[in-house]
Amino acid sequence: QFGAEFFLWTRWSGSAETNPSGRLTVLNAPSNNDIDRFELLERRQLGDINWSLYKVRCRVAMPWRLNDYPLDRHHLQIKIGVENPLVDGLTFKVDKDQSYIDPDFVLYDWSILPLRIDVSSLSIKSHLGLPGQGVDVVPSRPVVDLSFVIRRRSELALWSSFLGNFLAIGLCILAL
């Protein structure tokens, strides 16, 4: 698991009551009272457009692949969407120019590659028991994918700590 905290803004046309962003969730985060939380910070009416700003806190569940440790790198992903697989008429457009990881954010011993943000879809290969649905009907819903790669920053510092351990073990063997 890894924790993330970020700002998310949404815009939609229509009334404030039809706010689709109230149904958003982090799809790959376990749901908990304090985790996977969207906190509304601000809402404004800008002509015909409604705008909302949220602060999102989540703990994302994902497997860590340690095959290449201590030279490992990890592809971290956050998927934002709606829980209901039958939601209709919802589309996402991402703001790639204004979406980034804060350059002042430091993750000790790791380098962070640039953020990628894309829109994809999540499909369920079932008609979910709805009568009258054909076999070929595959419900899908839009998903915003935030992804970035972290890479262990200093292989030399890591090797020097291992070298110290190997020297200590070697001295113990020579003392026998």
Side-chain angles (χ1 to χ4, degrees):
Q1 290 188 358
F2 69 93
E5 182 176 291
F6 55 93
F7 293 106
L8 172 77
W9 57 94
T10 60
R11 295 185 306 207
W12 71 98
S13 57
S15 67
E17 292 78 36
T18 62
N19 178 7
S21 49
R23 297 180 285 164
L24 292 176
T25 187
V26 178
L27 296 172
N28 56 338
S31 196
N32 190 326
N33 290 337
D34 194 43
I35 299 173
D36 183 25
R37 185 174 62 192
F38 282 65
E39 178 184 348
L40 179 63
L41 298 177
E42 183 93 23
R43 179 169 288 152
R44 294 184 186 171
Q45 180 80 34
L46 307 169
D48 293 342
I49 302 294
N50 290 288
W51 175 86
S52 293
L53 177 65
Y54 294 89
K55 186 174 193 174
V56 181
R57 292 184 185 100
C58 61
R59 187 160 300 280
V60 177
M62 63 166 291
W64 291 89
R65 302 196 193 294
L66 300 174
N67 300 349
D68 296 328
Y69 178 81
L71 305 173
D72 51 338
R73 58 188 293 147
H74 303 281
H75 183 227
L76 307 180
Q77 238 181 347
I78 299 172
K79 292 184 171 290
I80 300 171
V82 293
E83 287 284 344
N84 182 357
L86 300 176
V87 71
D88 227 5
L90 183 65
T91 59
F92 294 129
K93 294 180 183 175
V94 295
D95 186 356
K96 292 185 180 196
D97 294 334
Q98 294 297 314
S99 302
Y100 57 89
I101 296 172
D102 185 350
D104 293 332
F105 177 70
V106 175
L107 193 58
Y108 179 73
D109 244 11
W110 295 91
S111 60
I112 305 170
L113 299 180
L115 176 72
R116 288 192 52 188
I117 182 168
D118 295 299
V119 176
S120 66
S121 65
L122 189 59
S123 300
I124 296 180
K125 307 269 191 260
S126 168
H127 59 77
L128 303 171
L130 287 171
Q133 298 293 320
V135 177
D136 297 335
V137 175
V138 178
S140 67
R141 60 186 178 217
V143 175
V144 175
D145 292 315
L146 303 156
S147 63
F148 56 98
V149 174
I150 59 172
R151 184 178 57 216
R152 201 169 295 273
R153 181 177 294 164
S154 175
E155 292 89 7
L156 291 176
L158 196 61
W159 286 116
S160 67
S161 71
F162 278 127
L163 183 61
N165 291 339
F166 288 133
L167 285 175
I169 291 169
L171 289 174
C172 288
I173 291 172
L174 286 176
L176 295 175

